[in-house]
Structures are given as structure tokens and as C-alpha cells.
């Protein structure tokens, strides 16, 4: 299983007046000291994508052809047309199939939080920062694929930070001076006309 976490479990029986155990309450508490970050195995593969239109079939063949290319991929299309389906299929057709696939919607994260979501932060980096810090989505996706959905919603200042990741294959957590090398395939998607 790719989705799991270490936890402590407490079981407390509930008794009726006859001292018979009638129910048990289980309390699960995540063990932060052994936290393992995993992502779900993406479901979609090219054989689950159906269509007979010649343009659609050629798009699938092109997506298969580029699945092992190291270049960043940009998928354009209207909302609901299946951009993430294609991203998952590309990941599952690539040599990274057994590595993490992490999808993040750039439009759903407030601008002031997107940097910490993508790159993580060190303990004490800002008020309210989690003890021990937190790894970002790029570290979670290391050796695998990260999908940046709605990339057109990403603030411009964040795009310069992303450019460094694309050029140098390193990230720096907020509050740290240490560069962390990563190997991540980036698939971006948007419904916007980026040329405009």
C-alpha cells in the first residue's frame, strides 16, 4: 500500500451494567516521529482512455512517445477535459511508474502558502511552523512526477522560484540555506491561454 502512516492505537472497552463488553472505542494517533510521506498510485493508464477520433488517438500516441522524455510537459485544455487523466497515464507509462505521483492544484492554495506547499519549510521558519519543519510537494515527488494543475494561477514571483528548480534540479526549504537535489518530472496543466 502506498497510503499508510505509523500510529499509536488505544483500545477502550465500553461495558454495560452486567459488565459485558459491548463496544470498543479505538483511538488512532499519528506517530510524527516516524512519519512516512507516500502518495497514491495514480489510477489512469492509456488503456483506460477511450476514443476513436483520429486527432485524439494521435494525441494519445504522442503522449506515450514523450512519457520517458525528461522535458517538462504542459497540458492545455478546458476544465473537465481530463488533463490529470493524461498526466497520470503519462506517469504510469514512464520509467517512473513505481515512484510517487503528486498532484497539486496551484489555484486552490493561497498565494502566501504556495511556496511552503511546494518547497517545504524548516522548524521555526515562521510563526506557526510545525515542529520539525515540513517537506514540500517536490520532495514528496522525488524520483517521480509532480503535476502542477492550474499553473496559470501561480503567482509570478513563484514562477521565478520554479524556474530555478527546472534549471538546477534543486529546491531550498523556507528558512534554510541548504539546497536539496531532486529528480522530478514536472507536468503542468492549465485551462488558460498562457500566450495571452
Amino acid at each position: 500500500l502506498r497510503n499508510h502512516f505509523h500510529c499509536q492505537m488505544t483500545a477502550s472497552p465500553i461495558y454495560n451494567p452486567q459488565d459485558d463488553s459491548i463496544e470498543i472505542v479505538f483511538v488512532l494517533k499519528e506517530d510524527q516521529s516516524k512519519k512516512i510521506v507516500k502518495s497514491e498510485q495514480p489510477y489512469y493508464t492509456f488503456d483506460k482512455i477511450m476514443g476513436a477520433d483520429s486527432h485524439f488517438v494521435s494525441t494519445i500516441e504522442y503522449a506515450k512517445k514523450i512519457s520517458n522524455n525528461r522535458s517538462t510537459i504542459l497540458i492545455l485544455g478546458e476544465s473537465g477535459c481530463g488533463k490529470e487523466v493524461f498526466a497520470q497515464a503519462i506517469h504510469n507509462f514512464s520509467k517512473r511508474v513505481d515512484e510517487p505521483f503528486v498532484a497539486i492544484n496551484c489555484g486552490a492554495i493561497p498565494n502566501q502558502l504556495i511556496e511552503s506547499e511546494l518547497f517545504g519549510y524548516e522548524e521555526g521558519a515562521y510563526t506557526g511552523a510545525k515542529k520539525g519543519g515540513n517537506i514540500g510537494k517536490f520532495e514528496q515527488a522525488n524520483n517521480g512526477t509532480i503535476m502542477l494543475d492550474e499553473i496559470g494561477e501561480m503567482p509570478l514571483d513563484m514562477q521565478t522560484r520554479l524556474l530555478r528548480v527546472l534549471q538546477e534540479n534543486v529546491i531550498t526549504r523556507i528558512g534554510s540555506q541548504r539546497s536539496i537535489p531532486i529528480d522530478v518530472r514536472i507536468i503542468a496543466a492549465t485551462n488558460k491561454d498562457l500566450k495571452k
Side-chain angles (χ1 to χ4, degrees):
L1 290 174
R2 287 183 174 259
N3 256 355
H4 66 277
F5 63 95
H6 291 271
C7 64
Q8 297 172 341
M9 181 176 79
T10 307
S12 303
I14 299 175
Y15 295 98
N16 64 15
Q18 292 77 31
D19 281 338
D20 295 328
S21 176
I22 56 171
E23 290 186 12
I24 299 175
V25 175
F26 293 96
V27 177
L28 300 175
K29 183 177 178 186
E30 187 171 3
D31 183 356
Q32 297 290 333
S33 67
K34 294 183 179 177
K35 191 166 185 178
I36 295 175
V37 178
K38 296 286 184 181
S39 64
E40 286 186 35
Q41 178 65 24
Y43 171 77
Y44 292 102
T45 56
F46 285 117
D47 62 342
K48 291 184 172 83
I49 301 175
M50 306 290 181
D53 178 76
S54 61
H55 183 66
F56 186 73
V57 170
S58 68
T59 301
I60 290 173
E61 291 307 312
Y62 182 72
K64 286 178 181 179
K65 191 160 82 172
I66 63 171
S67 66
N68 279 315
N69 189 313
R70 290 187 51 85
S71 298
T72 298
I73 295 173
L74 176 63
I75 302 173
L76 303 172
E78 297 173 7
S79 293
C81 73
K83 294 184 291 293
E84 186 169 349
V85 170
F86 264 84
Q88 288 185 19
I90 290 168
H91 172 82
N92 281 331
F93 200 74
S94 75
K95 294 174 185 170
R96 298 175 186 261
V97 63
D98 293 323
E99 301 297 338
F101 176 89
V102 176
I104 184 167
N105 185 331
C106 299
I109 301 169
N111 288 355
Q112 62 272 25
L113 295 179
I114 194 161
E115 185 175 8
S116 66
E117 279 291 314
L118 291 177
F119 305 122
Y121 57 85
E122 295 294 331
E123 181 174 343
Y126 55 85
T127 306
K130 201 160 67 171
K131 186 177 180 185
N134 197 37
I135 72 169
K137 301 297 186 193
F138 272 92
E139 279 183 85
Q140 288 180 27
N142 196 24
N143 298 316
T145 304
I146 188 167
M147 181 190 179
L148 302 175
D149 200 6
E150 302 306 340
I151 192 75
E153 303 298 325
M154 182 178 282
L156 290 175
D157 60 324
M158 273 305 302
Q159 292 182 30
T160 58
R161 295 273 327 262
L162 186 59
L163 181 61
R164 181 168 184 254
V165 174
L166 290 167
Q167 290 176 331
E168 301 174 22
N169 295 318
V170 296
I171 57 129
T172 304
R173 291 182 185 177
I174 297 173
S176 174
Q177 299 300 316
R178 184 172 65 95
S179 293
I180 302 169
I182 56 163
D183 175 17
V184 177
R185 171 73 175 284
I186 299 174
I187 300 178
T190 185
N191 61 1
K192 289 192 167 185
D193 183 346
L194 298 182
K195 288 182 181 178
K196 283 186 180 179

